[in-house]
PDB file of all heavy atoms in Angstrom:
ATOM      1  N   GLU A  18     -44.068 -36.378 -17.519  1.00  0.00           N
ATOM      2  CA  GLU A  18     -44.578 -36.129 -16.162  1.00  0.00           C
ATOM      3  C   GLU A  18     -45.557 -37.237 -15.749  1.00  0.00           C
ATOM      4  O   GLU A  18     -45.552 -37.715 -14.616  1.00  0.00           O
ATOM      5  CB  GLU A  18     -45.317 -34.789 -16.104  1.00  0.00           C
ATOM      6  CG  GLU A  18     -44.415 -33.584 -16.229  1.00  0.00           C
ATOM      7  CD  GLU A  18     -45.211 -32.301 -16.496  1.00  0.00           C
ATOM      8  OE1 GLU A  18     -46.453 -32.285 -16.296  1.00  0.00           O
ATOM      9  OE2 GLU A  18     -44.585 -31.334 -16.934  1.00  0.00           O
ATOM     10  N   LEU A  19     -46.367 -37.615 -16.721  1.00  0.00           N
ATOM     11  CA  LEU A  19     -47.367 -38.661 -16.464  1.00  0.00           C
ATOM     12  C   LEU A  19     -46.695 -39.991 -16.140  1.00  0.00           C
ATOM     13  O   LEU A  19     -47.204 -40.785 -15.343  1.00  0.00           O
ATOM     14  CB  LEU A  19     -48.229 -38.814 -17.731  1.00  0.00           C
ATOM     15  CG  LEU A  19     -49.690 -39.165 -17.587  1.00  0.00           C
ATOM     16  CD1 LEU A  19     -50.393 -38.295 -16.568  1.00  0.00           C
ATOM     17  CD2 LEU A  19     -50.367 -39.042 -18.948  1.00  0.00           C
ATOM     18  N   GLY A  20     -45.517 -40.215 -16.762  1.00  0.00           N
ATOM     19  CA  GLY A  20     -44.766 -41.455 -16.536  1.00  0.00           C
ATOM     20  C   GLY A  20     -44.509 -41.676 -15.053  1.00  0.00           C
ATOM     21  O   GLY A  20     -44.623 -42.791 -14.538  1.00  0.00           O
ATOM     22  N   ALA A  21     -44.187 -40.580 -14.333  1.00  0.00           N
ATOM     23  CA  ALA A  21     -43.902 -40.684 -12.896  1.00  0.00           C
ATOM     24  C   ALA A  21     -45.174 -41.097 -12.143  1.00  0.00           C
ATOM     25  O   ALA A  21     -45.128 -41.917 -11.220  1.00  0.00           O
ATOM     26  CB  ALA A  21     -43.381 -39.352 -12.383  1.00  0.00           C
ATOM     27  N   GLU A  22     -46.298 -40.530 -12.549  1.00  0.00           N
ATOM     28  CA  GLU A  22     -47.569 -40.868 -11.880  1.00  0.00           C
ATOM     29  C   GLU A  22     -47.948 -42.326 -12.145  1.00  0.00           C
ATOM     30  O   GLU A  22     -48.436 -43.033 -11.255  1.00  0.00           O
ATOM     31  CB  GLU A  22     -48.693 -39.969 -12.398  1.00  0.00           C
ATOM     32  CG  GLU A  22     -48.563 -38.543 -11.958  1.00  0.00           C
ATOM     33  CD  GLU A  22     -49.879 -37.788 -12.080  1.00  0.00           C
ATOM     34  OE1 GLU A  22     -50.918 -38.312 -11.649  1.00  0.00           O
ATOM     35  OE2 GLU A  22     -49.848 -36.676 -12.640  1.00  0.00           O
ATOM     36  N   ILE A  23     -47.696 -42.785 -13.378  1.00  0.00           N
ATOM     37  CA  ILE A  23     -48.034 -44.163 -13.735  1.00  0.00           C
ATOM     38  C   ILE A  23     -47.152 -45.121 -12.919  1.00  0.00           C
ATOM     39  O   ILE A  23     -47.634 -46.126 -12.385  1.00  0.00           O
ATOM     40  CB  ILE A  23     -47.870 -44.387 -15.262  1.00  0.00           C
ATOM     41  CG1 ILE A  23     -48.888 -43.524 -16.020  1.00  0.00           C
ATOM     42  CG2 ILE A  23     -48.038 -45.862 -15.633  1.00  0.00           C
ATOM     43  CD1 ILE A  23     -48.641 -43.388 -17.500  1.00  0.00           C
ATOM     44  N   ALA A  24     -45.861 -44.762 -12.791  1.00  0.00           N
ATOM     45  CA  ALA A  24     -44.942 -45.605 -12.010  1.00  0.00           C
ATOM     46  C   ALA A  24     -45.424 -45.686 -10.562  1.00  0.00           C
ATOM     47  O   ALA A  24     -45.409 -46.767  -9.948  1.00  0.00           O
ATOM     48  CB  ALA A  24     -43.526 -45.040 -12.090  1.00  0.00           C
ATOM     49  N   GLY A  25     -45.891 -44.563 -10.018  1.00  0.00           N
ATOM     50  CA  GLY A  25     -46.399 -44.520  -8.644  1.00  0.00           C
ATOM     51  C   GLY A  25     -47.613 -45.429  -8.482  1.00  0.00           C
ATOM     52  O   GLY A  25     -47.731 -46.162  -7.489  1.00  0.00           O
ATOM     53  N   LEU A  26     -48.502 -45.404  -9.453  1.00  0.00           N
ATOM     54  CA  LEU A  26     -49.706 -46.252  -9.389  1.00  0.00           C
ATOM     55  C   LEU A  26     -49.326 -47.730  -9.495  1.00  0.00           C
ATOM     56  O   LEU A  26     -49.886 -48.576  -8.789  1.00  0.00           O
ATOM     57  CB  LEU A  26     -50.667 -45.891 -10.529  1.00  0.00           C
ATOM     58  CG  LEU A  26     -51.523 -44.646 -10.302  1.00  0.00           C
ATOM     59  CD1 LEU A  26     -52.157 -44.185 -11.602  1.00  0.00           C
ATOM     60  CD2 LEU A  26     -52.612 -44.929  -9.255  1.00  0.00           C
ATOM     61  N   LYS A  27     -48.357 -48.023 -10.361  1.00  0.00           N
ATOM     62  CA  LYS A  27     -47.959 -49.424 -10.545  1.00  0.00           C
ATOM     63  C   LYS A  27     -47.367 -49.989  -9.256  1.00  0.00           C
ATOM     64  O   LYS A  27     -47.526 -51.166  -8.962  1.00  0.00           O
ATOM     65  CB  LYS A  27     -47.000 -49.561 -11.731  1.00  0.00           C
ATOM     66  CG  LYS A  27     -47.726 -49.418 -13.071  1.00  0.00           C
ATOM     67  CD  LYS A  27     -46.834 -49.718 -14.249  1.00  0.00           C
ATOM     68  CE  LYS A  27     -47.648 -49.692 -15.534  1.00  0.00           C
ATOM     69  NZ  LYS A  27     -46.837 -49.802 -16.738  1.00  0.00           N
ATOM     70  N   LYS A  28     -46.688 -49.125  -8.489  1.00  0.00           N
ATOM     71  CA  LYS A  28     -46.149 -49.573  -7.182  1.00  0.00           C
ATOM     72  C   LYS A  28     -47.283 -50.009  -6.266  1.00  0.00           C
ATOM     73  O   LYS A  28     -47.103 -50.829  -5.383  1.00  0.00           O
ATOM     74  CB  LYS A  28     -45.348 -48.441  -6.521  1.00  0.00           C
ATOM     75  CG  LYS A  28     -43.938 -48.358  -7.048  1.00  0.00           C
ATOM     76  CD  LYS A  28     -43.061 -47.504  -6.117  1.00  0.00           C
ATOM     77  CE  LYS A  28     -41.776 -47.165  -6.830  1.00  0.00           C
ATOM     78  NZ  LYS A  28     -41.461 -45.752  -6.838  1.00  0.00           N
ATOM     79  N   LYS A  29     -48.459 -49.409  -6.482  1.00  0.00           N
ATOM     80  CA  LYS A  29     -49.636 -49.793  -5.670  1.00  0.00           C
ATOM     81  C   LYS A  29     -50.447 -50.873  -6.391  1.00  0.00           C
ATOM     82  O   LYS A  29     -51.624 -51.064  -6.121  1.00  0.00           O
ATOM     83  CB  LYS A  29     -50.515 -48.563  -5.438  1.00  0.00           C
ATOM     84  CG  LYS A  29     -49.883 -47.513  -4.558  1.00  0.00           C
ATOM     85  CD  LYS A  29     -50.941 -46.504  -4.112  1.00  0.00           C
ATOM     86  CE  LYS A  29     -50.600 -45.103  -4.536  1.00  0.00           C
ATOM     87  NZ  LYS A  29     -51.676 -44.165  -4.529  1.00  0.00           N
TER      88      LYS A  29
END
Side-chain angles (χ1 to χ4, degrees):
E18 290 167 16
L19 214 48
E22 290 199 47
I23 295 166
L26 280 165
K27 286 187 174 173
K28 278 196 194 128
K29 292 194 239 162

